[in-house]
Structures are given as C-alpha cells and as structure tokens.
Amino acid sequence: MKKWLWLAGAAFTILGLFIIMETAPLYFGKQYTETDQFQMEYAFYTDKLISMELAPLDAAELADKSVSQGEIEEYRNRYGSLAEQVENIQGQYADDIEKAKAEKNTDLVEILLEERNRKITAIQSNFADDDVVVEKIKAERRQAISRALKERNSNELEVLSESAPYVYELKNTKTGEIFTKGELSENPIFEQTYTIARPLKDREPNFYFDDATISTIEVAANDASFEGVIQIDRELLAASDSLGNFNQFNFIQTSMYLLSAATIVVLLLLLTIVPFQLEWFTFSRLFEKWVNWPMEMRLLAAFLSVFYAVFAAENVSDALLNSWSRNYLTHSIALGVEFSVALAICALALLQLIWLFAYYSKPKLLKEEYLNSLIHRNIVALKQVFLNKSMGVQTLILLIVIFFWGFGTMLTFAVGGMILVWVPATLFIGIPVLIMLLKRFSYLNILMHETEAMAMGQLNQAVPVRGSSPLANHARQLNRLKEGVRISLSEQAKSERLKTELITNVSHDLRTPLTSIITYTDLLKAPELSNEERLSYAGILDRKSQRLKTLIEDLFDVSKMASGNIELERTKLDFAQLLQQALAEHAEDIEQSGLDFRVTIGDKPLYIYADGQKWWRMLDNLILNSLKYALPGTRVFVSLTEIAGEAKFVIKNITRFELGDNPDELFERFKRGDASRQTEGSGLGLAIAQSIIELHGGALKIEVDGDLFKVTVTVNSA
C-alpha cells in the first residue's frame, strides 16, 4: 500500500510543481489590475475614450490634410500610363459605337462618343493638373474615412458596455474643457492619475478597416491631451460584465496558493514518513511482466506515458487559466476531474521511469539489449542507405519530391489557386521524377533477375549497363564478378586436371626406379649369380636409389620453398661470374649434347644480393633443362644484362618436344617438356627455379613461340 501512496504523492508533487512553474509568475503576489491582460483592456478603453468621447475625429478635417507628390503619382498611374488608360477607355466603347453605327442609331452614337470623350478628358486632366488630382484624392479619403469611422461607431454599444465600471474626471490641457463620468471614490479598485507632465493622449496612429475598398485606413494620432483621474468603481464593477475577469483572477490565484501549500505538504510527507524504496516496484508481478517486453516496447511505453503526462499537465494548466464558469462548484468539479486524469497519467509515467532506472542500472545490460534491438538494426540499416552516398542522396531527393508532389495534390482540393502552381509542377517536376523513379526500380528488377541467373550458373550473357548511375556501376561490378566466377571455374577445372596429372606423374616417377630396385633386389637373392653379375646389379640398384633419393629431395625442397619455410643466407655475389662457373661446370655435357651455346655476358661484374647456393641451383636447373629438352644440333642463347637497376638473365632454345599452348603449366610440379616421360629428370626443375627466384624477390617468365622456348629471370641488382 505504501508504494502506491508514494507513487500518487510523487505524481501529485511533480504535477503541482509543473502547474506552479507555469502560472506562478502571473498570479503570485499580484492584483488583477497589475496583470498584462488588464493593462491591454485599459489601453483599449482609453483609446476608445479619446477617439469617441473626449476628442472625436472629424472625417473632413482628416481628409483635408496635405497630399504628397507620391500619392499624386500613385493615383495617376493606378490603372496604367496615360496612353494605356486612353486606349482602355476607347476599347470599352469601340464595340458599342460600331454596333450603334450598324443599327444607324445616330443619337446613341453621339451619346457614347460624348461619354467616352468626357472620360478621356478627365484622365488627361489628371496628368495635366496636380490640383485636380489632389481634390480627387481628398474626396476619396473623405469617403473612406467616413465609412471607417461609421464602422467603428457601430461598435459603440460594445465599448460602452466594457467601460461601464469606469468613472473619470479629465480636463483638456489645451482647451481647458472638463469631461466627467460618475463620481470619484476614495477607495476605488483601480485608479490612474494623469498630469501635464504625463497626460492621457494617443501615442500611435489609429487604423480602421474600410469594407468598401477592402483596405485599412491609417488615421494619425489625436494630438489632444488630458489631465485628471480615471477609476474603477466597486459598485459599478459588481454590476458590470467586467466582474468576471476579476473573479476569475482571484479564483486562479486562490487555487494556486492552495495547490502550492498541498504540494509542499505532500513533498514533506514523501521525504519523512514514506521514503522511497526501489524494491517496492521491482519485486512485483507487473515489473516481471514488463521485463518480458521487448526493449522497443518498454521505451515506447515510457515515452508515450511521459508525453501524455506533459500533455495532460498542460491541459490542466490551460483549463485553470483559460476556462471560466460563474458557477464555482461546477467549475471546481471540472478542474478536479482534469487534475485527477493528469495525476493518473503522471503516476503511470513515473512508474515507467522507475522501472527503466531499476532495469537498466547496469550499463552493460542496456548496451547488450540495444545491440540486439530493432532500434539498432534500423539505425544500422539507415546508415547503410548512405554506404553509396550518391545512391542514398538521389533516392532521398526523389522521395522528397514525390512526397511534396502528393502534398501539393492534396492542397489543390483545399486552396483554389493552388491548381495554377500544381499543374506545371506536375508536368515539369512530378511526372519526370516519377518516371525516373520507376525506371530505377525497373533497372533494379533487371539486376535482381540477372543476379538470380548468375546464381543458377548462367555466366555467358553480360548484365546490361545503362548510364552512369550507381545502379549502372553495380551492373559493371556484376559483370566483373560474373567474369571472375567464369575464370575461377575455368581455373578450378584446370587445377583439377593438373592435380590429376601431378598424382599420375608422381606415381610414375616414383614407381619406375622403385620397380627397378625391387626387381634387381630379387635378382640378387639368386645363389647362382656370379660376382660380376652381382656387382652389375648392385651398381644398377645404386643408380636407381640415387635417382629416387634425388626425386624425393627435390620434391621436399620445392614444397619448402613454395611454403616460404626456408631461410636464405644472402650475400653480395657476382651474377656474371656465377653464370660463367655454372656453364664451365657443364662444359663436358654441353659438348656431348651437340648443342651450340651462344653466351653473351658483359665484361663488368653484375652484383646481386642472393643466397649463393640457392642461386647456383637455379642456374644449374635452367642449364640442365636446356640440355635435356633442346633439339640436338641447334643453338642455345644465353645472355646476362643490366637494365634499369635490374639484372636480366635470358636462356632460349629450340625444343626437342612439342610444348602445349599454356607455358605456365611447365611450372607445375613433375611437369616435363617430354610428355611421354622418357627422358631423365624429376620434372621439378622449373618449379624449384621459380620458387628460388620468388624467394629472392625476382621474377621468372616463360615464353613459347612455336618451338622456341625462352626463360627470362629478373632480379634487383646490388
């Protein structure tokens, strides 16, 4: 029970403080005669008092005031220049004169001509004589001011009714004429004294509306001034309609004093007798049900309850200040109902805020729920709208135009002249933007269809590219993706083929020496073998085992190099000298091969930073590759040059065997130029050479032109 008392008391305190803050400056420690509302009413009364009773305005006198040259020019050209006005008059009578002539009605013709000429003469006189124009302006003024004053005087009864409680005794400071109404009192409700130094007078021009010309007439301030006293008589006030304003002010002021006292008492009770305990509101079934709501629903419920609480508090404040009934009981009950409704809504809002504070007292929980909330997902989605800023901004502009076009369409039914703006806006803005938006959606549907076709494996037809919009750029990216997928599938098929060949080649190259080893091992077991045969078989076994060892070591080395799991011991070495040594090492093999090696090496050293052992092996592999696969009786060209800070080594020859169309496949492990695999070698030479060069930051390139086989090695020089 205490928690509900505390909740009601806290809501009462909050609501009371809100209303007090809204109204206290207007009512605390004041009388009605000190309020802005009364000062406005009093100023209205004194203005009417001067213009209607003390110093009435005279239309003729006001109209006879001087006319400026600007007013003269405005009057003359009100309907255009002299030529335009004359032409207009002639046009007005032309048809009637021609019709009268056709009917041979000479009298009517004379009358029309005379009337037309009289108007033209009057217009010409306006442009010829300023005095004529001045008299016309004054006459126009006189009529307008007379109509305006007549309209003002028609409200005289209303003014007299509002001025019923006023009494005064005033004297015109210029003429000495004295004006009185009623008898002055010694104890009035309100009194205002005027002196010669601070007289009663008009301070600003008066404005009156003229229904005939549908315009406002400005009348200069009355220059009469008065001294004396104006009072509000108590007895006259009690019998007048103005008493309601005083009673309303007193009622509101009393209500505010009572509400302030009640708010202070309730606040003291909350602080002393019923102190706040958070457990009251967290250990309850309502709180448990509320906790099970989604985060968005909890926040929305809290926001709406606070919003309606503020609205209800404003409504109570407005009802207290602006509504009034002479029946105090009825008025008090109506305000009590308004206050009770606002109190209930404030209590609900306060309960929601307490629950939010209790539940989200741990920031981690708030952050966790926020990251999983629909709010966060929507914010992320909205941010993603502008991942492509051009697309996001263009779409936003299109939607804004469509919105205002629809809004303008609605306005055409409410504002008659709006159709004049809406039609061209529709033709030149609305419809083009709508067509543009529909074209965007059409193109988007095409892209979605093409993407679906791509997912189904249809990769041959390109996505259409239209213009340079973000969607067109997306189409280009889809085409690139489609081409990438197609190439990837081709590479995958190629990789599967090469993998199969690798397994086949490895099996063949390992099985061949292994089969020989097994065969000759079985032969060695025969007891009848002679020593010569046994030694011969042992020699064969040694060669085959060495071949198998070399094959396995090469495979192991190329695997380590390809994975980068090898350390280089780089030193500064002379590439030219190393190449000469490698060629000298194979001089005997070159001579026996029947090949003519044409070597081009400069006289100067060409230094590089490299691991000498690994770089020697690369050169050895490339030279052996030429010895094995070059056509006998042909030339092998070897060159080493330095170009733009790079050492360039080239070796080229005519191949013994026909090579395939794709030279890159020669880098594959166990790939040989001899597809029948009848020559010696592991098929790892080029793969090892390429790995060594890449580890040194260089590049190896193979070119095949018919039977011409060319290897180019480039590496940075020291």
Side-chain angles (χ1 to χ4, degrees), residues 210-397:
D210 178 20
D211 290 329
T213 59
I214 315 178
S215 61
T216 301
I217 306 300
E218 179 181 350
V219 177
N222 199 319
D223 57 359
S225 61
F226 302 86
E227 60 175 331
V229 178
I230 298 178
Q231 295 180 346
I232 294 180
D233 186 84
R234 292 181 181 274
E235 294 181 359
L236 294 176
L237 177 63
S240 70
D241 294 336
S242 300
L243 180 64
N245 293 335
F246 284 82
N247 290 339
Q248 181 183 10
F249 180 86
N250 293 332
F251 177 83
I252 295 173
Q253 189 178 60
T254 303
S255 300
M256 294 308 304
Y257 286 148
L258 292 175
L259 180 61
S260 300
T263 302
I264 293 173
V265 171
V266 172
L267 180 60
L268 291 175
L269 291 175
L270 292 177
L271 295 176
T272 56
I273 299 177
V274 192
F276 173 74
Q277 296 183 27
L278 186 61
E279 294 78 9
W280 288 344
F281 302 99
T282 55
F283 293 99
S284 64
R285 292 182 179 179
L286 287 176
F287 180 71
E288 293 175 357
K289 291 182 178 180
W290 178 85
V291 167
N292 292 327
W293 291 0
M295 179 184 184
E296 294 80 10
M297 187 177 293
R298 290 196 293 267
L299 295 177
L300 180 62
F303 171 78
L304 290 177
S305 60
V306 171
F307 173 79
Y308 283 111
V310 174
F311 177 79
E314 286 280 1
N315 196 36
V316 173
S317 181
D318 289 343
L320 180 62
L321 297 179
N322 301 319
S323 64
W324 176 244
S325 172
R326 295 182 182 275
N327 189 323
Y328 283 91
L329 179 61
T330 303
H331 188 61
S332 300
I333 292 174
L335 288 176
V337 172
E338 292 267 4
F339 189 87
S340 299
V341 172
L343 182 65
I345 298 175
C346 286
L348 179 61
L350 182 59
L351 181 61
Q352 297 278 330
L353 294 176
I354 292 172
W355 283 348
L356 286 175
F357 173 78
Y359 186 71
Y360 292 115
S361 56
K362 297 180 179 179
K364 289 185 178 180
L365 178 61
L366 176 61
K367 183 178 180 181
E368 180 181 347
E369 284 203 356
Y370 171 72
L371 293 176
N372 296 324
S373 67
L374 182 62
I375 298 174
H376 179 258
R377 292 198 296 272
N378 287 333
I379 291 175
V380 172
L382 289 175
K383 288 182 178 179
Q384 291 172 347
V385 171
F386 295 95
L387 285 177
N388 186 316
K389 292 184 179 179
S390 176
M391 185 72 173
V393 171
Q394 290 180 20
T395 304
L396 183 62
I397 292 174

Side-chain angles (χ1 to χ4, degrees), residues 51-266:
S51 62
M52 298 178 66
E53 296 185 23
L54 303 181
L57 298 172
D58 182 65
E61 181 182 351
L62 294 171
D64 287 338
K65 289 186 176 181
S66 62
V67 178
S68 66
Q69 188 63 36
E71 291 178 292
I72 294 174
E73 294 299 325
E74 187 278 331
Y75 185 88
R76 282 174 174 165
N77 297 283
R78 185 177 297 174
Y79 302 105
S81 64
L82 174 60
E84 291 172 342
Q85 294 185 48
V86 171
E87 184 180 359
N88 185 31
I89 294 298
Q90 291 175 341
Q92 292 177 11
Y93 286 88
D95 292 341
D96 293 338
I97 291 173
E98 291 298 325
K99 184 177 180 181
K101 287 181 179 180
E103 295 175 354
K104 297 181 179 181
N105 190 342
T106 56
D107 293 337
L108 181 58
V109 171
E110 290 180 1
I111 292 171
L112 291 173
L113 288 172
E114 182 181 354
E115 184 178 340
R116 183 196 67 181
N117 294 336
R118 185 172 65 252
K119 289 185 177 181
I120 291 174
T121 301
I123 292 172
Q124 291 173 338
S125 66
N126 288 343
F127 284 86
D129 191 351
D130 288 352
D131 293 337
V132 173
V133 179
V134 168
E135 289 302 322
K136 290 182 178 181
I137 291 175
K138 288 182 177 181
E140 193 177 77
R141 269 188 193 172
R142 192 176 298 110
Q143 292 178 0
I145 293 174
S146 295
R147 286 192 298 265
L149 293 177
K150 184 178 179 180
E151 178 68 22
R152 182 207 65 182
N153 292 335
S154 65
N155 299 325
E156 185 174 2
L157 292 177
E158 180 183 350
V159 175
L160 292 175
S161 174
E162 294 176 353
S163 64
Y166 288 95
V167 296
Y168 57 80
E169 184 177 319
L170 298 168
K171 183 176 73 172
N172 191 318
T173 58
K174 293 183 179 180
T175 65
E177 185 178 1
I178 297 176
F179 300 87
T180 60
K181 177 190 174 186
E183 295 183 2
L184 298 179
S185 171
E186 294 183 358
N187 186 26
I189 291 180
F190 169 79
E191 180 177 279
Q192 182 68 47
T193 302
Y194 298 96
T195 63
I196 295 178
R198 298 183 63 185
L200 172 65
K201 59 185 299 184
D202 273 348
R203 297 185 178 181
E204 296 179 352
N206 296 294
F207 296 90
Y208 303 99
F209 186 74
D210 178 20
D211 290 329
T213 59
I214 315 178
S215 61
T216 301
I217 306 300
E218 179 181 350
V219 177
N222 199 319
D223 57 359
S225 61
F226 302 86
E227 60 175 331
V229 178
I230 298 178
Q231 295 180 346
I232 294 180
D233 186 84
R234 292 181 181 274
E235 294 181 359
L236 294 176
L237 177 63
S240 70
D241 294 336
S242 300
L243 180 64
N245 293 335
F246 284 82
N247 290 339
Q248 181 183 10
F249 180 86
N250 293 332
F251 177 83
I252 295 173
Q253 189 178 60
T254 303
S255 300
M256 294 308 304
Y257 286 148
L258 292 175
L259 180 61
S260 300
T263 302
I264 293 173
V265 171
V266 172

Side-chain angles (χ1 to χ4, degrees), residues 468-599:
S468 58
S469 67
L471 289 179
N473 186 53
H474 181 63
R476 294 187 187 92
Q477 301 302 326
L478 285 178
N479 284 331
R480 291 178 59 187
L481 178 62
K482 182 179 289 188
E483 182 64 18
V485 171
R486 191 183 64 78
I487 293 174
S488 176
L489 292 176
S490 176
E491 291 293 331
Q492 183 178 358
K494 174 184 173 183
S495 177
E496 291 295 330
R497 177 176 60 82
L498 292 175
K499 186 187 298 182
T500 302
E501 291 182 4
L502 174 63
I503 295 172
T504 302
N505 293 337
V506 169
S507 300
H508 178 274
D509 288 351
L510 292 177
R511 186 175 63 246
T512 299
L514 184 61
T515 301
S516 298
I517 291 172
I518 294 172
T519 301
Y520 284 101
T521 301
D522 290 338
L523 291 174
L524 284 174
K525 295 178 181 178
E528 65 275 8
L529 286 179
S530 63
N531 288 333
E532 293 180 358
E533 290 176 325
R534 196 176 300 278
L535 290 174
S536 175
Y537 292 163
I540 295 173
L541 284 174
D542 180 64
R543 290 196 304 274
K544 296 298 181 181
S545 60
Q546 289 296 326
R547 173 171 169 74
L548 187 60
K549 175 185 176 185
T550 301
L551 186 65
I552 293 173
E553 286 179 347
D554 286 348
L555 181 59
F556 180 69
D557 288 343
V558 76
S559 298
K560 284 203 304 181
M561 291 178 185
S563 63
N565 188 21
I566 191 170
E567 293 183 2
L568 298 179
E569 296 181 3
R570 292 194 181 192
T571 59
K572 186 176 180 181
L573 55 86
D574 185 354
F575 194 172
Q577 182 181 4
L578 191 65
L579 177 58
Q580 290 173 347
Q581 292 176 358
L583 291 171
E585 183 76 19
H586 292 283
E588 184 178 349
D589 296 331
I590 292 173
E591 185 177 352
Q592 293 177 358
S593 67
L595 297 173
D596 183 8
F597 270 70
R598 299 293 180 89
V599 181

Side-chain angles (χ1 to χ4, degrees), residues 40-53:
M40 291 174 60
E41 294 173 355
Y42 181 71
F44 177 77
Y45 166 71
T46 54
D47 288 343
K48 297 300 182 182
L49 177 64
I50 294 173
S51 62
M52 298 178 66
E53 296 185 23

